[in-house]
């Protein structure tokens, strides 16, 4: 029974209404039903003076009804989650049950869908990321950083939605919470601090957005951006940890959970305490699967289908990425067809299962011999650092107005090509060469056009000599 004037978290409301705690669209549908059934207000956080996520109810409008799958805004779309669930039921080892583990460990170690080293490579310090890219032949580290970031978003959401769907149809039981590391080296996991963590993270994300000018996003939407820099991530985690250590209620919850875990595991030794003598040093989101029905069929087809779906989603996010130049308001797309080589390398490193890729043939690569594709990727990199996009180029106008463009010495060295591979084969064949001249833009002309576009993407009124 809901009591008026008492503060409730989402989890506590579900307990009072005998609803199953969910995530994603299902959770949003539950919250919408709750808010339409009661009059309420959000209490103020005494530290930040911002509204909390919890509720204090003041009256009742109608009797709340648990939302069905049909009205949860697309929660009945099981196209992707059924494949993921089938894979988990076939592949997950028994040792994976009743273990609080991070998303990365679930996806890389227990489910073996992703390579752990590649998955975590972008979250190292700058020099380590550059060394990784150089070792793997990736020309633009930004491709690696964004591709892995988008993969995290897509696969984490897919995993959560799959478990939510599996729980609703009675195939598994699970919890989503956090694991906290202590000074003693021990770990404590719980779902009881979810709302508290979300509230703290929202405030810190807003503070860091103000300090580092991250962009127009608000709250935890900036978390992905913050975690793309090791220094920002360290600052973010440090502030959350400080807030946890300063809150007696949070420490008491963790202390109780530590005692319960020690009793459950029948662990010998002194009682694990959480507090001033054993403070929190870090935390991460974690999932625990407590029950799962098993299947004995072949898991490989499911794994390949999951890989294909994720690759398509991530590629779309990459190519849809854009931002506006602060200087002239130009819309800039940092990724284009010329990043295809780097994207393919990252995919081959990141995903443990391959599939038959149908790569869209890029418009400009139709004009260039395959042996020169690496040069095109370097040109794309050059243009990106000039903050312009290939799609802004008026190539015909450049050809017409800047036929005599002269490259600088630096550009000559950067974009130099060998004359003996103009045909794309390395063979000197007059007949073949004359045929290919009809099909390909000459290398030097193409380079001139790219450099012109990189310098002057709009007017093309002049070229630097």
């Amino acid at each position: 029974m809901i009591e008026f004037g008492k503060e409730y978290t989402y989890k506590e409301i579900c307990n009072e209404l005998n609803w199953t705690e969910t995530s994603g669209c299902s959770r949003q549908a539950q919250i919408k039903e709750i808010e339409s059934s009661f009059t309420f207000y959000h209490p103020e956080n005494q530290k930040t003076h911002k509204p909390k996520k919890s509720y204090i109810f003041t009256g009742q409008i109608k009797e709340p009804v648990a939302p069905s799958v049909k009205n949860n805004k697309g929660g009945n779309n099981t196209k992707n989650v059924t494949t993921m669930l089938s894979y988990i039921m076939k592949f997950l080892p028994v040792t994976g049950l009743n273990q609080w583990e991070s998303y990365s460990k679930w996806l890389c170690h227990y489910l073996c869908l992703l390579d752990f080293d590649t998955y975590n490579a972008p979250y190292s310090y700058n020099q380590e990321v550059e060394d990784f890219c150089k070792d793997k032949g990736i020309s633009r580290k930004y491709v690696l950083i964004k591709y892995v970031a988008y993969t995290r978003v897509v696969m984490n959401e897919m995993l959560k939605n799959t478990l939510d769907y599996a729980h609703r149809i009675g195939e598994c039981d699970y919890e989503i919470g956090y694991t906290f590391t202590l000074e003693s080296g021990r770990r404590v996991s719980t779902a009881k601090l979810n709302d508290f963590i979300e509230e703290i993270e929202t405030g810190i994300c807003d503070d860091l957005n103000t300090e580092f000018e991250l962009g127009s996003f608000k709250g935890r939407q900036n978390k992905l951006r913050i975690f793309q820099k090791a220094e920002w991530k360290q600052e973010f985690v440090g502030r959350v940890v400080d807030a946890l250590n300063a809150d007696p209620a949070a420490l008491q919850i963790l202390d109780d959970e530590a005692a319960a875990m020690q009793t459950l595991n029948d662990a010998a030794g002194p009682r694990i305490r959480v507090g001033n003598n054993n403070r929190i040093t870090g935390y991460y989101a974690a999932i625990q699967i407590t029950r799962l029905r098993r299947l004995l069929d072949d898991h490989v087809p499911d794994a390949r289908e999951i890989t294909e779906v994720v690759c398509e989603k991530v590629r779309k996010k990459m190519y849809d990425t854009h931002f506006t130049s602060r200087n002239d308001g130009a819309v800039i797309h940092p990724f284009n067809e010329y990043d295809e080589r780097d994207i393919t390398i990252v995919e081959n490193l990141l995903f443990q299962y391959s599939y038959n890729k149908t790569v869209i043939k890029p418009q400009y690569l139709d004009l260039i011999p395959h042996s020169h594709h690496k040069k095109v990727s370097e040109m794309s990199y050059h243009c990106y650092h000039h903050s312009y996009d290939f799609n802004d180029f008026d190539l015909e106008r450049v050809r017409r107005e800047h036929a005599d463009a002269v490259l600088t010495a630096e550009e000559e060295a950067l974009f130099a090509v060998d004359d003996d591979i103009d045909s794309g084969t390395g063979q000197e064949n007059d007949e073949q060469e004359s045929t290919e001249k009809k099909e390909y833009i000459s290398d030097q002309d193409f380079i001139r056009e790219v450099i012109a576009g990189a310098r002057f993407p709009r007017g093309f009124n002049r070229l630097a000599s």
Side-chain angles (χ1 to χ4, degrees), residues 153-173:
V153 172
V154 170
M155 295 214 70
N156 287 1
E157 182 180 9
M158 184 181 290
L159 180 59
K160 287 191 293 185
N161 290 343
T162 298
L163 294 176
D164 179 45
Y165 170 74
H167 179 72
R168 280 188 280 135
I169 63 175
E171 299 287 8
C172 87
D173 293 326

Side-chain angles (χ1 to χ4, degrees), residues 9 33 48 90 189 258 307 343 365 394 411 438 456:
T9 63
E33 176 65 17
T48 63
K90 295 171 184 176
S189 302
T307 301
I343 289 175
L365 295 188
D394 184 348
E411 291 163 348
K438 298 177 184 178
F456 310 103

Side-chain angles (χ1 to χ4, degrees), residues 100-102 177-181 187-190 282-287:
W100 281 101
E101 299 292 358
S102 65
Y178 292 90
T179 294
F180 302 86
T181 55
R187 289 181 172 84
V188 180
S189 302
T190 183
Y283 79 106
Y284 53 85
I287 295 176

Side-chain angles (χ1 to χ4, degrees), residues 74-214:
N76 57 337
N77 184 356
T78 61
K79 179 180 177 181
N80 295 328
V81 298
T82 50
T83 304
M84 182 66 137
L85 177 59
S86 173
Y87 176 77
I88 293 174
M89 294 168 73
K90 295 171 184 176
F91 187 82
L92 182 66
V94 176
T95 54
L97 298 178
N98 299 305
Q99 300 288 333
W100 281 101
E101 299 292 358
S102 65
Y103 285 91
S104 60
K105 196 160 186 179
W106 275 111
L107 295 170
C108 298
H109 293 305
Y110 284 108
L111 299 179
C112 298
L113 290 169
L114 303 173
D115 176 72
F116 184 79
D117 292 337
T118 307
Y119 191 70
N120 287 281
Y123 302 96
S124 306
Y125 286 93
N126 190 51
Q127 187 58 50
E128 295 175 6
V129 179
E130 291 180 357
D131 291 343
F132 180 89
C133 291
K134 184 177 180 181
D135 180 59
K136 304 301 183 182
I138 301 169
S139 59
R140 288 183 61 195
K141 69 176 182 180
Y142 193 55
V143 172
L144 171 70
I145 292 171
K146 294 300 288 186
Y147 195 98
V148 172
Y150 285 140
T151 301
R152 279 178 177 258
V153 172
V154 170
M155 295 214 70
N156 287 1
E157 182 180 9
M158 184 181 290
L159 180 59
K160 287 191 293 185
N161 290 343
T162 298
L163 294 176
D164 179 45
Y165 170 74
H167 179 72
R168 280 188 280 135
I169 63 175
E171 299 287 8
C172 87
D173 293 326
Y174 76 102
E175 279 189 294
I176 295 179
Y178 292 90
T179 294
F180 302 86
T181 55
L182 308 175
E183 286 179 331
S184 62
R186 305 296 292 268
R187 289 181 172 84
V188 180
S189 302
T190 183
K192 294 180 179 179
L193 290 175
N194 289 5
D195 292 334
F196 182 77
I197 292 291
E198 183 177 340
E199 182 182 333
I200 291 178
E201 287 186 344
T202 299
I204 293 175
C205 281
D206 287 335
D207 293 341
L208 292 180
N209 187 17
T210 302
E211 294 176 28
F212 300 126
E213 298 182 353
L214 301 177

Side-chain angles (χ1 to χ4, degrees), residues 233-365:
K233 178 181 177 181
Q234 186 177 9
E235 178 69 20
F236 175 85
V237 173
R239 294 190 187 187
V240 175
V241 167
D242 289 343
L244 285 166
N245 284 319
D247 192 288
L251 294 178
Q252 184 60 52
I253 290 173
L254 290 180
D255 189 64
D256 294 341
E257 288 293 310
M261 288 176 62
Q262 196 168 11
T263 303
L264 180 65
N265 298 326
D266 196 22
R271 160 85 157 81
I272 300 173
R273 293 288 184 182
V274 180
N276 293 331
N277 296 325
N278 193 16
R279 296 169 64 82
I280 302 167
T281 59
Y283 79 106
Y284 53 85
I287 295 176
Q288 176 184 224
I289 299 177
T290 56
R291 182 183 63 85
L292 178 71
R293 187 168 72 86
R294 308 280 300 174
L295 296 177
L296 300 177
D297 298 332
D298 182 16
H299 65 273
V300 174
D302 291 334
R304 287 179 174 165
E305 184 176 341
I306 292 167
T307 301
E308 182 174 4
V309 169
V310 173
C311 285
E312 288 177 357
K313 286 178 176 288
V314 174
R315 279 172 173 259
K316 185 178 187 305
K317 285 180 177 288
M318 292 280 285
Y319 290 130
D320 286 348
T321 299
H322 64 277
F323 53 92
T324 304
S325 171
R326 294 182 179 180
N327 297 326
D328 55 9
V331 177
I332 300 167
H333 293 265
F335 304 106
N336 51 51
E337 295 89 344
Y338 300 100
D339 293 307
E340 177 66 36
R341 173 181 169 274
D342 282 346
I343 289 175
T344 302
I345 291 174
V346 173
E347 286 177 343
N348 290 335
L349 291 170
L350 182 60
F351 295 99
Q352 300 282 40
Y353 293 88
S354 61
Y355 67 98
N356 295 325
K357 300 177 184 177
T358 303
V359 179
I360 299 174
K361 202 171 184 181
Q363 175 186 356
Y364 292 110
L365 295 188

